[in-house]
Amino acid sequence: DPLATSVNRLVLGPLVAWPAAALVGLSGLARDTSIMMAGMPTAVLTTILAVELGGRPALAVRTVIVTTLVSIPTLTVLIALLR
């Protein structure tokens, strides 16, 4: 389900990265960058790997599309929270 994988990537990623960054002692730009990277959309490389390694390319394609579209508001909120 592309929606579930998108929520995992765009919402749960930063929620896990935030305390993890604090746990390892990151602060400032390094902390903010690691949290932002955890909330970025799924890369197109995921689709290539799914095809080459016998995964689920249709799910990968849908996930790339959904996460890219949904990342516009989620990253906007994340940037506002990190300021």
Side-chain angles (χ1 to χ4, degrees):
D1 177 51
L3 185 58
T5 55
S6 298
V7 168
N8 284 339
R9 179 73 183 153
L10 300 174
V11 177
L12 295 181
L15 288 176
V16 169
W18 210 306
L23 187 65
V24 298
L26 294 178
S27 62
L29 184 60
R31 179 197 72 149
D32 295 350
T33 302
S34 64
I35 295 169
M36 284 295 298
M37 291 302 294
M40 290 298 201
T42 304
V44 174
L45 180 61
T46 305
T47 304
I48 296 167
L49 290 173
V51 170
E52 293 297 320
L53 299 175
R56 296 171 53 193
L59 174 62
V61 168
R62 288 192 306 268
T63 300
V64 168
I65 292 168
V66 171
T67 58
T68 300
L69 294 174
V70 176
S71 71
I72 296 167
T74 60
L75 288 175
T76 302
V77 169
L78 190 55
I79 290 168
L81 290 172
L82 290 171
R83 288 186 167 220

